[in-house]
Amino acid sequence: MHAVIFRAGQRVFLALAPFFFFTCVLAAEHPVISLTAGMHVIRAEVVNTMASRSQGLMFRKSLGPNQGMLFVFDINERHCMWMKNTLIPLSVAFIDEQGAILNIEEMKPQTEDTHCARSAARYALEMTAGWFGKRGLQPGLRLGGMEKAPGPK
């Protein structure tokens, strides 16, 4: 009996293995840059294509303490985010072309609620939930290192 259950479990694992491998490979392919928010250093994966922005942090189970994802948009306009298939709660800071935070939104996992920039944004930075608030970071703060972000593709 246990052997049958184990074998069924193996089949499920083998069927899902390519999906999880593909997800991990995608994450590893994103360029990473260092940003600063006040005295805090952020290790940000950069997503600057339509495909990588669409995937975002979907299906990730965790982020490191100062790890995030920087979305580089094609157009400087009022962008919105949602949390479909995103497993971890996140905070998102919408950022203008000069690297200043416009607004920060808290986002609950696996919801389709929209969270939008208050005005035209070139970037969005997703971090673990509460990351900005716990550090006293607020709209108006200019992030350092934004000039290192690759442009949109």
Side-chain angles (χ1 to χ4, degrees):
M1 181 74 168
H2 292 290
V4 173
I5 293 171
F6 182 72
R7 287 183 187 201
Q10 280 181 322
R11 286 189 198 124
V12 170
F13 174 77
L14 291 174
L16 293 176
F19 172 77
F20 290 113
F21 175 75
F22 179 70
T23 301
C24 292
V25 168
L26 274 181
E29 289 181 4
H30 301 314
V32 175
I33 62 171
S34 289
L35 301 174
T36 56
M39 64 181 212
H40 307 282
V41 177
I42 300 164
R43 183 180 173 272
E45 292 178 53
V46 179
V47 288
N48 61 343
T49 66
M50 180 59 79
S52 64
R53 286 190 303 267
S54 296
Q55 175 74 29
L57 290 169
M58 286 183 179
F59 305 109
R60 296 273 186 101
K61 293 183 179 178
S62 65
L63 277 177
N66 289 322
Q67 182 181 357
M69 182 167 279
L70 180 67
F71 292 73
V72 180
F73 299 114
D74 294 337
I75 300 169
N76 188 41
E77 65 182 7
R78 192 169 176 258
H79 296 280
C80 296
M81 312 286 272
W82 67 348
M83 296 286 284
K84 183 177 180 179
N85 297 322
T86 305
L87 307 176
I88 51 178
L90 298 170
S91 295
V92 61
F94 291 97
I95 303 165
D96 69 15
E97 289 184 299
Q98 289 75 41
I101 296 175
L102 298 167
N103 60 298
I104 299 167
E105 302 291 325
E106 298 298 321
M107 304 188 297
K108 293 182 181 173
Q110 301 194 57
T111 62
E112 293 185 20
D113 301 335
T114 56
H115 306 274
C116 301
R118 290 203 177 125
S119 59
R122 173 62 73 180
Y123 310 97
L125 176 62
E126 288 183 340
M127 302 293 289
T128 55
W131 190 90
F132 297 98
K134 288 175 188 172
R135 290 157 181 79
L137 305 175
Q138 299 179 5
L141 175 72
R142 192 172 306 261
L143 298 179
M146 295 298 291
E147 70 281 354
K148 294 183 268 182
K153 292 182 181 179

